[in-house]
Amino acid sequence: MYIRTDEQSAYDNYRLLIGSVVPRPIAFVTSLDEEGVVNAAPFSFFNIVNDDPAMVMFSCVRKPDGEMKDTARNVARLKEFVVHVVDEENITAIHHTSINAPSGISELELAGLTAVPGQRVTVPRVRECKIAMECRLVQHVELGHCDMFIGEVLGFYIEDEVYENGRINIGRLKPLSRLAGAAYAEVGKTFDMERPRFEP
C-alpha cells in the first residue's frame, strides 16, 4: 500500500511515525520556570545532531490550542536545559512526570525525584539518573505543531558505574526506549559489524 500524508489526519500520520521510527531514545528534560520551579518531562523526539561541538536535540509537541508546553516555554526563555537518560531503574518515576500537571507545579516533586544543582547551567539535574547532559540552547525551530530545540552539551554527569575507558557500558546503564502507544523497550540482542572499506 501507499499512504499519502495529505489524505489522512495529522493524528493518523503521527501513529505511523511513532510506529515506524523505533526504537526512539528518551530525553528526560529538566528546565526552570520564571519562579524557579523545576519542570521535568520525557520526550521521545530526541537524538544527537552534532559531535563537534557536541549537540543534541529534542522536539516538544504543542498543546491542542497551539500554546507551547511548559518545557518549551522555559527553554526558550532561559536558554538552558538538562537532558537525562532514562533507564530501567528510573522509568517508573520518570513516566510519572508525564502527568498533566498545572504550570508552577514541579513534576520532580510529584514523582519523588531529587534535584541536584547544575555545574555550568542554572537548571538542576536529577540525582536518580545515571547520565545527565547540561545544555545551552543553540537554536529554537518552530515547526508548526512542535518546537525543536538544539542544545550544545556543556558537560556530562556520568555515574562511575556506567563509565568504562571513556565509553558508556550499556549493560550497566540499561537504557530504555519508546515504541508506539504506551510501549517501552529494553536493549535486546546486540552485535558488532565492522565498517566496510573500499579497496580499488
Side-chain angles (χ1 to χ4, degrees):
M1 71 177 65
Y2 181 78
I3 300 172
R4 287 181 50 147
T5 57
D6 61 354
E7 291 180 350
Q8 63 177 9
S9 71
Y11 180 67
D12 288 334
N13 289 329
Y14 167 79
R15 291 194 301 179
L16 294 181
L17 281 169
I18 65 169
S20 301
V21 184
V22 291
R24 296 186 309 282
I26 306 166
F28 179 47
V29 179
T30 50
S31 61
L32 283 176
D33 72 9
E34 297 91 338
E35 304 300 321
V37 175
V38 181
N39 177 266
F43 299 91
S44 68
F45 293 5
F46 162 59
N47 222 309
I48 301 165
V49 290
N50 197 22
D51 63 344
D52 186 15
M55 292 184 184
V56 295
M57 64 72 63
F58 77 95
S59 190
C60 180
V61 176
R62 292 195 174 197
K63 296 178 182 180
D65 63 1
E67 182 184 351
M68 280 185 178
K69 288 188 177 176
D70 292 343
T71 297
R73 191 172 59 253
N74 294 343
V75 172
R77 180 188 59 83
L78 189 60
K79 304 190 182 333
E80 293 180 346
F81 57 98
V82 180
V83 174
H84 307 77
V85 175
V86 179
D87 63 55
E88 293 178 23
E89 292 180 12
N90 59 32
I91 182 57
T92 300
I94 289 176
H95 179 72
H96 191 72
T97 67
S98 64
I99 190 170
N100 188 21
S103 297
I105 301 294
S106 176
E107 293 84 0
L108 283 188
E109 293 180 11
L110 295 177
L113 293 167
T114 313
V116 178
Q119 295 195 41
R120 298 193 64 191
V121 295
T122 56
V123 179
R125 67 174 175 86
V126 175
R127 176 177 293 156
E128 290 78 7
C129 295
K130 297 181 180 74
I131 297 178
M133 294 169 267
E134 295 185 338
C135 299
R136 175 176 56 217
L137 181 63
V138 172
Q139 191 170 358
H140 170 202
V141 182
E142 295 185 32
L143 300 171
H145 187 53
C146 289
D147 290 279
M148 182 178 74
F149 298 97
I150 299 174
E152 179 181 353
V153 179
L154 304 178
F156 293 92
Y157 169 81
I158 303 172
E159 285 280 346
D160 292 344
E161 65 181 277
V162 301
Y163 184 83
E164 191 173 273
N165 299 320
R167 297 176 184 270
I168 303 300
N169 184 312
I170 297 298
R172 293 180 189 152
L173 177 61
K174 298 180 181 177
L176 294 180
S177 61
R178 284 288 275 124
L179 302 176
Y184 290 83
E186 300 174 357
V187 173
K189 176 183 175 182
T190 65
F191 58 94
D192 295 340
M193 293 182 70
E194 294 294 330
R195 185 171 180 172
R197 296 182 181 178
F198 177 74
E199 297 180 3

